Amino acid sequence: MTAHPDRSILAARNKSLKSVFMRWEFLLLGLFLAINIMNAVISPYYLNAGNLFTAINSFLVKGFIAMPMAYLLVLGDIDLSVGSTVALSATLLGVSYNAGVPMGLAILIALLCGTMCGLLNGLILTRFTELAPMIVTLGTMTLYRGISEMILGSQSTGSFHNVSWFYQIYYARLGPVPYLFFFFCLLALAFGFVLHKTIFGRQLFAIGSNRLTAKYSGVPVQRHRLICYTLMGLVCGMSGVFYSSWMGTVRFDIATGYELEAISVAVLGGISTSGGKGTFPGAIISIFIIGLLGYGLGLINVNSQTILMIIGLILIAVVMAPNLKTRRKPGIKTS
Amino acid sequence: MQINRRRVKLTRDRVFSSRELSLLAILILIVAGIQLRNSTFLSSRSINDMLKNYSTTITLALGMMSVLLIGGIDISVSATLAFSGMSASLLMRDGVYSSTLVMFLVSTAIGTLCGLLVGLVISRGKVLPIIATLGFANIFRGATYIISDSRWVSAYQFDSAFKRFAQTRTLTFGLMNNLVFIALVCYLVFFVVMRWTRFGRRIYAVGSNPEAASISGININRVKLAVYTMAGSFAGLIGAMYTSLYASAQSDMGMGMEMDAIASCVLGGVSLSGGQGGVPGVLLGAMTMTVISKALPLIGISQFWQKAIKGIIILIAIIINVLAQRAIHRNAMRARERQI
């Protein structure tokens, strides 16, 4: 480091050139291609721009959630209440629309509701830092779903498609490409940029790798956590709006299992569940991998329960694989 | 005189800081309040029904407690329950066996295997408990749908002795309902194991300080594996209890029961960071949850409200836990300062 600074940089660059093909994102791209080929073999109608985007659109609704989930995992946090937040936002949208509120305002209510849900998670977790995120969000997961059930009971609310522009949110297309996809790309770019190119993003990684060190280096740890949880809520509210536009009707038990998919996607993308590690492009690629895998399985009539089961298997396999390979040295084992 | 007064103060402090006693007081208050609103609540018949119907949830809290004690969590128990209950029911439907005892054993064995799998992934694969059990919750639930082909095993497909088991008092010769008896035995055994055996002490040791436990020669991975396996076997046992109670097995049975179990533990003073909590507290916590679940319809609150109310109870309970712990720390600090 002292004698030949340029040599070490050169060595690092050489290494990075060699390892670029072994990078996780590259493997993910291979997986992505493999799944596309599999789908194309299963269905001859698959490789057609229109159908392809129909498939993509169907999982983008939950794909949005994976982006802030990646932030939370980088922080070493987790949010299990996302599915319930989506359901509650969509419920409020439906109820307020059917109570005569104009659609624009109803959408605002849904977004606000999602933000509030996220804010509540964040407030509890930052006020009581001793609490584990999993248990608090497990509690709010029950609470939000319960409020949604309280409002709707066993009934559904809907007829959103009477408002044609609301219907267009999900279904409108520019040529074969849905506007939702453009919006997704825009948001993904923004999220990726913030995580990897800004001070805020670097600080998230700092918090995730060592919360105490980050705190003593002057990173406002709790404020950043609060921001990320609130952001998570806002995106869940958005997802609730898209869901309503997609289905046109809402029940209290929609969006169950979204937390599993969002976490699986982020983890498959190479984001460590213990915080501080991961890249955003990997997470975006894995949204498409998991989504298209689910679509392909749906093509061969695999039911949704089995698809969730396969995603669960992938999640565990991906998290476990690196731990099995590197044998730990004997010594003090922690946790 | 001085010493005597001090001792009185000490006992008073202990009584007020005792988690179990304050919870007992709250429980009595709740019961009294419900009794005022609806006088049928405290009849022996109603109490019996309540204990019978919630014996499953009450027992499930035990397995969850041991997991929480080592600082882990298991949200796959309800899926394990469904999977083992369904597999055992399918075998009974197909006439592999008709004995109630065998059915219970098979269900418990399947649950144990599921728990073993979860434990292996967590202890050997070094996967975070929440991630592993989130995955396994979906895997076991999906497996339940697959083996049952999304169909029920209905009442007429069960052996009649099995269906009668949940409604009769044969095990104690007429003293109490069979399922309640099973729950009681589980609690007694667990109480003894947690308090007076090496295994129980090890669980507390690993939960309160894993590094210290490891240095003092405890094999942490083995304790973890044992605890998750135990949670699985409880879930398996409850799978059989559940099918016997409702005389049917459905693929979505027990959905959300892990939340009730966690809530019971949290109410009972089990710390989620591990190492703190006891069987009596969990029993009281489980009884509180049971009374609330049973009483809400009795005092005219719609069943659709139950989930939200449970969610609020969980959140309030964990926040109170934290506040209580902070107060304990503060008092300890103050006591130390006074000594100096």
Side-chain angles (χ1 to χ4, degrees), chain B residues 320-340:
Chain B
I320 286 178
N321 267 1
V322 167
L323 291 178
Q325 233 146 38
R326 281 186 188 173
I328 290 170
H329 279 304
R330 218 177 303 130
N331 285 342
M333 194 75 92
R334 217 173 283 155
R336 250 174 279 153
E337 276 170 5
R338 223 177 289 143
Q339 272 178 0
I340 296 166

Side-chain angles (χ1 to χ4, degrees), chain A residues 73 78 80 120 124 127-132 134-143 145-147 149-150 152-154 252 257 259-260 263 267 273-274 303 305-306 308-310 312-313 315-316 319-320 323-324 327-328 331-335, chain B residues 68 71-73 75 120-121 124-128 130-136 138-143 145-146 150 210-211 214-215 219-221 224 255 259 262 266 272-273 303-305 307-312 314-315 318-319 322-323 326:
Chain A
L73 289 177
I78 203 164
L80 299 176
L120 180 66
I124 295 177
R127 299 291 297 168
F128 304 100
T129 45
E130 300 97 321
L131 288 173
M134 60 177 180
I135 193 71
V136 170
T137 54
L138 210 54
T140 52
M141 170 179 157
T142 315
L143 176 64
R145 182 77 64 188
I147 296 174
E149 192 176 350
M150 212 155 106
L152 285 181
S154 53
F252 81 87
E259 64 283 349
L260 174 81
I263 294 169
V267 167
T273 45
S274 42
N303 64 25
Q305 278 295 337
T306 316
L308 276 181
M309 178 176 158
I310 291 168
L313 275 172
L315 171 67
I316 289 173
V319 179
M320 201 164 62
N323 297 343
L324 288 181
R327 276 257 155 256
R328 279 199 174 192
I332 299 166
K333 292 175 204 122
T334 49
S335 72
Chain B
L68 292 178
I73 196 167
I75 54 174
L120 277 176
V121 165
R124 308 280 162 208
K126 305 261 183 288
V127 180
L128 285 183
I130 186 71
I131 302 283
T133 54
L134 182 65
F136 273 116
N138 283 276
I139 293 173
F140 293 148
R141 186 66 69 180
Y145 277 94
I146 290 176
S150 302
E211 281 170 53
S214 176
I215 291 169
N219 188 336
I220 293 187
N221 281 338
K224 273 189 189 169
M255 205 91 107
M259 290 311 298
I262 293 173
V266 173
L272 292 160
S273 42
Q303 52 151 334
F304 295 122
W305 288 47
K307 205 181 260 175
I309 290 174
K310 276 179 193 162
I312 287 190
I314 296 174
L315 287 175
I318 52 177
I319 289 174
V322 167
L323 291 178
R326 281 186 188 173

Side-chain angles (χ1 to χ4, degrees), chain A residues 175-213:
Chain A
V177 188
Y179 282 104
L180 193 67
F181 182 73
F182 287 123
F183 182 63
F184 179 83
C185 293
L186 216 64
L187 210 62
L189 280 177
F191 266 87
F193 179 79
V194 169
L195 187 64
H196 287 301
K197 297 288 173 208
T198 64
I199 298 172
F200 178 76
R202 293 308 301 167
Q203 288 180 337
L204 293 190
F205 279 101
I207 296 171
S209 14
N210 193 332
R211 193 167 286 178
L212 215 57
T213 316

Side-chain angles (χ1 to χ4, degrees), chain B residues 38-337:
Chain B
N38 189 329
S39 58
T40 58
F41 181 65
L42 276 185
S43 63
S44 76
R45 202 200 134 116
S46 147
I47 293 177
N48 265 329
D49 271 0
M50 179 176 81
L51 288 179
K52 181 185 80 191
N53 287 335
Y54 290 96
S55 57
T56 48
T57 322
I58 295 174
T59 319
L60 195 62
L62 279 180
M64 188 60 81
M65 171 191 152
S66 61
V67 173
L68 292 178
L69 274 181
I70 62 161
I73 196 167
D74 191 345
I75 54 174
S76 70
V77 282
S78 61
T80 308
L81 179 160
F83 180 65
S84 45
M86 179 57 88
S87 328
S89 307
L90 286 173
L91 288 173
M92 184 176 251
R93 182 196 70 185
D94 297 344
V96 178
Y97 46 74
S98 60
S99 143
T100 306
L101 179 67
V102 176
M103 155 82 188
F104 268 75
L105 289 180
V106 167
S107 183
T108 312
I110 294 171
T112 310
L113 286 180
C114 293
L116 187 70
L117 198 60
V118 175
L120 277 176
V121 165
I122 290 173
S123 66
R124 308 280 162 208
K126 305 261 183 288
V127 180
L128 285 183
I130 186 71
I131 302 283
T133 54
L134 182 65
F136 273 116
N138 283 276
I139 293 173
F140 293 148
R141 186 66 69 180
T144 313
Y145 277 94
I146 290 176
I147 57 167
S148 67
D149 211 4
S150 302
R151 276 190 298 239
W152 292 27
V153 181
S154 316
Y156 71 91
Q157 288 163 317
F158 283 110
D159 190 70
S160 59
F162 178 67
K163 280 180 284 182
R164 233 180 298 122
F165 181 76
Q167 315 297 340
T168 50
R169 309 177 162 197
T170 44
L171 284 181
T172 46
F173 307 104
L175 194 62
M176 64 176 84
N177 179 280
N178 289 338
L179 296 185
V180 181
F181 178 66
I182 293 178
L184 190 67
V185 169
C186 287
Y187 267 86
L188 283 178
V189 170
F190 222 71
F191 182 69
V192 172
V193 166
M194 284 317 219
R195 192 157 274 205
W196 287 300
T197 67
R198 201 179 292 171
F199 178 63
R201 304 313 303 173
R202 278 186 182 156
I203 290 178
Y204 280 101
V206 171
S208 29
N209 192 338
E211 281 170 53
S214 176
I215 291 169
S216 39
I218 297 175
N219 188 336
I220 293 187
N221 281 338
R222 203 173 292 161
V223 173
K224 273 189 189 169
L225 185 61
V227 161
Y228 284 100
T229 311
M230 208 157 62
S233 20
F234 269 112
L237 172 69
I238 292 152
M241 286 165 75
Y242 195 102
T243 36
S244 159
L245 184 61
Y246 296 103
S248 73
Q250 302 138 32
S251 304
D252 61 349
M253 67 182 182
M255 205 91 107
M257 255 169 87
E258 73 276 4
M259 290 311 298
D260 288 355
I262 293 173
S264 305
C265 292
V266 173
L267 275 178
V270 176
S271 153
L272 292 160
S273 42
Q276 274 178 351
V279 174
V282 171
L283 179 61
L284 283 173
M287 288 309 298
T288 312
M289 284 305 284
T290 303
V291 165
I292 290 171
S293 311
K294 165 87 179 170
L296 287 182
L298 275 184
I299 56 175
I301 292 175
S302 151
Q303 52 151 334
F304 295 122
W305 288 47
Q306 290 216 6
K307 205 181 260 175
I309 290 174
K310 276 179 193 162
I312 287 190
I313 290 173
I314 296 174
L315 287 175
I316 291 179
I318 52 177
I319 289 174
I320 286 178
N321 267 1
V322 167
L323 291 178
Q325 233 146 38
R326 281 186 188 173
I328 290 170
H329 279 304
R330 218 177 303 130
N331 285 342
M333 194 75 92
R334 217 173 283 155
R336 250 174 279 153
E337 276 170 5

Side-chain angles (χ1 to χ4, degrees), chain A residues 153-195:
Chain A
S154 53
Q155 293 179 326
S156 66
T157 177
S159 58
F160 305 133
H161 287 175
N162 294 343
V163 185
S164 74
W165 65 264
F166 186 70
Y167 172 85
Q168 296 296 335
I169 290 179
Y170 180 84
Y171 289 97
R173 287 174 178 218
L174 184 72
V177 188
Y179 282 104
L180 193 67
F181 182 73
F182 287 123
F183 182 63
F184 179 83
C185 293
L186 216 64
L187 210 62
L189 280 177
F191 266 87
F193 179 79
V194 169
L195 187 64

